[in-house]
Amino acid sequence: MKDIAAAAGVSRGTVNRVLNGGYVSPEARTAIEAAIAEVGYVPNTAARNLKRRRSEAVGFLALEPHAVLLEDPNIGAIMLGANAVLSLAGYQMVSLVIDSDRDTERVARYLSGGFVDGAIIVSARAYDPITRLIAQIAMPAVFIGHPPDLDNAIPFVGIDNVGSAREITSRLIATGRHRIGMIACALNRDSGGDRLDGYRQALGDRFDPALVAEVPHYDYLGGVNGMRELLEREPGIDGVFAASDAVAAGAMQVLREAGRDVPGDVGVVGFDDSAWAARTQPPLSTVHQPAREIGRHAAELVHRQIGGQTDVPRSVLLPSPVVWRNSA
Amino acid sequence: MKDIAAAAGVSRGTVNRVLNGGYVSPEARTAIEAAIAEVGYVPNTAARNLKRRRSEAVGFLALEPHAVLLEDPNIGAIMLGANAVLSLAGYQMVSLVIDSDRDTERVARYLSGGFVDGAIIVSARAYDPITRLIAQIAMPAVFIGHPPDLDNAIPFVGIDNVGSAREITSRLIATGRHRIGMIACALNRDSGGDRLDGYRQALGDRFDPALVAEVPHYDYLGGVNGMRELLEREPGIDGVFAASDAVAAGAMQVLREAGRDVPGDVGVVGFDDSAWAARTQPPLSTVHQPAREIGRHAAELVHRQIGGQTDVPRSVLLPSPVVWRNSA
DNA sequence: TTGTAGGCGTTATCAA
DNA sequence: TTGATAACGCCTACAA
């Protein structure tokens, strides 16, 4: 900057004014702009951050084991939604992969080092060190999904998993199914537990633990294994609520191999309304998860916190309607 | 830092020495460490960067339209591979979504602002402004996939798309197929063009343009449309090389609906060896793309450049063997 | 082994 | 409208 001040024959203060707005005479301005173009000058952000005490960047943290991260059909859409909003607000979204303890530590340093002004956190587990750090340094942040900790200092954006699960299970009942099972996943995460709760609520007295197969992940393989288990335990099963579309796809594959017609013999419903849902044969009835919107709202919430607003909602619950197709 | 120097009753110089190594007396050290723990002090990275002129971070840039990004089965694995290496070297990988012109501009500022010491670039298009910027400011960088520009200042990591496509097509020929079509995608990208070239080379004189269906993206829908087109143009088709596994999955769905048996009536092969390949019925013969390794090598290449090494290879080509399953 | 002091490139304040 | 100047928090000589 010194260089271009010299080149334009003005002081650094004036250069700064054309950069960041202020009173500058036309002659000075053109001279400076010419010099900037000449040298290809770009302000040093480290210096700027040091002075301004902010980075104009927001971190997007996915605290997932990586296999899960890659399978998740929603996370990409959430990122894009968040990026759209942040981008418009002039913020750089930087997403950080946390894939080991070493990562955790480094990310912690990164966050407290002033590289970002805020954070969007996807599927934090309870007592995660990163989560605690963020709360401790009072960094503007938002969770996607339920907050994992009891203290609700950090707002969250999500959907009503319980309600939607209850609703889609109810409609399975309404279509005359009698032995309705569930393939439940990821019970250590809020979404997993909530969907199981919804299923249970819908069934009420007719709930039968023998009809619930538990599998670790929301993936195709989980659907395959879960369905096999269910079929073995209850050959007369005529309805299945799979905790995600990928799981439902795996389940349908097993049903096909077992010679059961969907939806004739067995009704199947999923969750997410992801690309899977359109690809299954027949297309899947499922719960629409507004991933893009979730990302948008999350970004807005951090942005408002960064801006110092105090009237930020503690939580935002987005509608997640059932999409009725042909699998049930 | 001033604070903790005061708290520990020493000078800032001494504090710095316990932070970054140097001669410090045991008493001073313990006092300082206590003070650090007390306050929860973390060094300000902006200031440190300003002084050291580096950030210990590497950018991961995917210059893709977002829809493509979400569909790509490899990009996640590449990121994880890169992150593993960078993490070990103490670098923070930050991935930046580029989803609009506004994004491009902001990312450019971000890069030249000293937020990262190097960059890994996925599927840059020719004449991309970001690419040019990186070359211009001589930032350590590496491309994943062919370099889009003629000047080869920036090394790249990839696979031999032409060779692998040729090989898998050849084996389709060797199994006795006579009318072998291809569903080609993304011809505006190097991988797309190269795979078509390999197919053409394998067929030699028997190459027939009427047997090539072009679709825009490497996705399931592309496979569906491409296969329909091919079937219409040449009902006697008995072999198909799909430019990716997702495309192959779409094609197989159409073949199934048309009553053609795979591999009995039509042999189908894909490319990527992604999760799709195991899910299709029958499992897909395909080309294994070592995505994780690609990420690893890319990270190593930038890291070595950042370290000032000059003997960095201009390119790394990883093996991409054919995986023979049951679809052909 | 420790303290002091100057500067990294910006921004912000204050006079002029 | 402009220029000088003092921070921002850290690192690194150099002196003690």
Side-chain angles (χ1 to χ4, degrees):
Chain A
M1 171 145 148
K2 241 194 333 228
D3 316 359
I4 82 125
V10 297
S11 79
R12 301 181 305 174
T14 309
V15 174
N16 191 303
R17 260 159 248 144
V18 357
L19 254 33
N20 297 306
Y23 300 119
V24 180
S25 69
E27 310 87 62
R29 163 160 273 126
T30 50
I32 290 171
E33 275 166 353
I36 287 178
E38 173 82 26
V39 189
Y41 164 82
V42 206
N44 176 316
T45 323
R48 168 177 286 170
N49 288 351
L50 178 57
K51 188 63 187 167
R52 289 194 179 162
R53 302 158 154 287
R54 58 200 170 128
S55 62
E56 316 269 88
V58 169
F60 186 98
L61 316 184
L63 309 179
E64 299 254 29
H66 57 252
V68 176
L69 183 71
L70 295 185
E71 284 284 343
D72 196 312
N74 295 311
I75 199 140
I78 293 174
M79 283 179 53
L80 260 9
N83 186 57
V85 169
L86 292 173
S87 174
L88 253 140
Y91 279 80
Q92 177 63 51
M93 185 179 92
V94 312
S95 67
L96 309 178
V97 177
I98 299 184
D99 193 26
S100 69
D101 288 347
R102 169 179 278 114
D103 284 3
T104 301
E105 224 173 289
R106 199 166 18 64
V107 166
R109 276 205 306 281
Y110 190 85
L111 294 176
S112 36
F115 274 101
V116 295
D117 298 336
I120 297 172
I121 306 160
V122 181
S123 59
R125 292 160 300 224
Y127 311 115
D128 189 283
I130 296 280
T131 302
R132 281 224 282 260
L133 169 70
I134 286 176
Q136 192 198 322
I137 63 180
M139 168 175 285
V142 55
F143 286 116
I144 304 243
H146 272 186
D149 293 306
L150 302 156
D151 81 89
N152 48 0
I154 301 176
F156 71 94
V157 176
I159 59 170
D160 177 9
N161 278 290
V162 178
S164 290
R166 190 177 52 227
E167 191 184 345
I168 200 164
T169 306
S170 299
R171 293 180 70 170
L172 218 44
I173 298 170
T175 59
R177 314 286 176 178
H178 292 91
R179 296 299 284 165
I180 300 173
M182 172 169 183
I183 304 175
C185 311
L187 293 184
N188 56 337
R189 285 170 53 189
D190 57 286
S191 61
D194 286 356
R195 289 174 199 178
L196 176 55
D197 283 351
Y199 162 83
R200 192 186 330 223
Q201 286 180 16
L203 254 22
D205 293 344
R206 296 157 62 187
F207 173 75
D208 178 356
L211 288 181
V212 176
E214 264 187 59
V215 296
H217 303 304
Y218 286 118
D219 59 7
Y220 185 89
L221 190 63
V224 169
N225 294 334
M227 195 63 235
R228 288 208 177 114
E229 197 177 324
L230 245 30
L231 231 30
E232 191 167 308
R233 287 203 222 146
E234 171 56 275
I237 195 166
D238 62 359
V240 177
F241 169 34
S244 89
D245 292 348
V247 173
M252 284 169 77
Q253 175 62 28
V254 169
L255 287 170
R256 191 174 307 121
E257 284 167 6
R260 311 290 176 105
D261 181 60
V262 174
D265 302 324
V266 185
V268 177
V269 296
F271 208 108
D272 280 348
D273 196 20
S274 63
W276 283 102
R279 278 178 207 145
T280 57
Q281 205 61 325
L284 196 60
S285 295
T286 186
V287 174
H288 177 69
Q289 176 137 231
R292 204 97 163 197
E293 282 306 307
I294 289 175
R296 283 211 163 80
H297 278 85
E300 244 141 43
L301 255 44
V302 265
H303 184 221
R304 286 167 63 181
Q305 289 177 69
I306 292 173
Q309 293 186 28
T310 54
D311 59 337
V312 179
R314 313 192 73 65
S315 71
V316 173
L317 240 38
L318 265 14
S320 49
V322 168
V323 182
W324 222 240
R325 295 204 181 89
N326 300 320
S327 67
Chain B
M1 172 144 147
K2 242 195 331 229
D3 315 358
I4 81 126
V10 297
S11 79
R12 302 180 305 173
T14 308
V15 174
N16 191 309
R17 264 165 293 228
V18 359
L19 254 33
N20 298 305
Y23 299 121
V24 180
S25 70
E27 310 86 61
R29 161 159 276 126
T30 50
I32 290 170
E33 276 167 353
I36 286 179
E38 172 82 27
V39 189
Y41 165 81
V42 207
N44 177 315
T45 322
R48 169 177 284 169
N49 289 350
L50 178 57
K51 187 64 186 166
R52 290 195 178 162
R53 299 157 160 288
R54 61 204 167 115
S55 62
E56 317 268 281
V58 169
F60 186 99
L61 316 184
L63 309 179
E64 300 253 29
H66 58 253
V68 176
L69 184 69
L70 294 186
E71 285 284 343
D72 194 313
N74 296 310
I75 200 139
I78 294 174
M79 283 179 53
L80 261 7
N83 186 57
V85 169
L86 292 173
S87 174
L88 257 150
Y91 279 80
Q92 177 63 51
M93 185 178 92
V94 312
S95 68
L96 309 177
V97 178
I98 300 184
D99 194 27
S100 68
D101 288 348
R102 170 180 278 114
D103 284 2
T104 300
E105 224 174 291
R106 199 165 21 63
V107 166
R109 276 204 308 279
Y110 190 85
L111 293 177
S112 37
F115 274 100
V116 295
D117 299 336
I120 296 172
I121 306 160
V122 181
S123 58
R125 292 159 301 222
Y127 312 115
D128 188 284
I130 297 281
T131 301
R132 281 225 282 261
L133 169 70
I134 286 177
Q136 192 199 322
I137 63 180
M139 168 175 284
V142 56
F143 287 116
I144 303 230
H146 272 187
D149 293 306
L150 302 156
D151 82 89
N152 48 0
I154 301 176
F156 70 94
V157 176
I159 58 169
D160 177 10
N161 278 290
V162 178
S164 290
R166 191 176 52 225
E167 190 184 346
I168 201 165
T169 306
S170 300
R171 295 179 69 169
L172 218 45
I173 299 171
T175 59
R177 313 287 178 178
H178 292 92
R179 298 297 284 163
I180 300 172
M182 171 170 184
I183 304 175
C185 311
L187 293 185
N188 57 338
R189 284 172 54 191
D190 57 286
S191 61
D194 287 355
R195 290 174 198 177
L196 177 53
D197 284 350
Y199 162 83
R200 193 185 331 220
Q201 286 180 16
L203 254 24
D205 292 344
R206 298 156 63 186
F207 173 75
D208 177 356
L211 289 181
V212 177
E214 264 186 60
V215 296
H217 304 304
Y218 286 118
D219 60 6
Y220 185 89
L221 189 62
V224 169
N225 294 333
M227 194 64 234
R228 288 209 177 115
E229 198 177 323
L230 245 29
L231 231 30
E232 192 168 307
R233 287 204 222 144
E234 171 56 274
I237 194 165
D238 62 0
V240 177
F241 169 33
S244 89
D245 292 348
V247 173
M252 284 170 76
Q253 174 61 28
V254 169
L255 287 169
R256 190 174 307 120
E257 283 167 6
R260 311 290 176 104
D261 181 60
V262 175
D265 302 324
V266 185
V268 177
V269 297
F271 208 108
D272 281 347
D273 195 19
S274 63
W276 283 103
R279 279 179 208 143
T280 57
Q281 206 60 325
L284 196 59
S285 296
T286 186
V287 173
H288 178 69
Q289 176 138 229
R292 205 95 163 200
E293 283 306 307
I294 290 175
R296 283 210 163 80
H297 278 85
E300 245 141 43
L301 255 44
V302 264
H303 184 222
R304 286 167 63 182
Q305 289 177 67
I306 292 174
Q309 294 186 27
T310 53
D311 59 338
V312 179
R314 314 192 73 66
S315 72
V316 174
L317 240 40
L318 264 16
S320 49
V322 168
V323 182
W324 222 241
R325 296 203 182 89
N326 300 320
S327 68

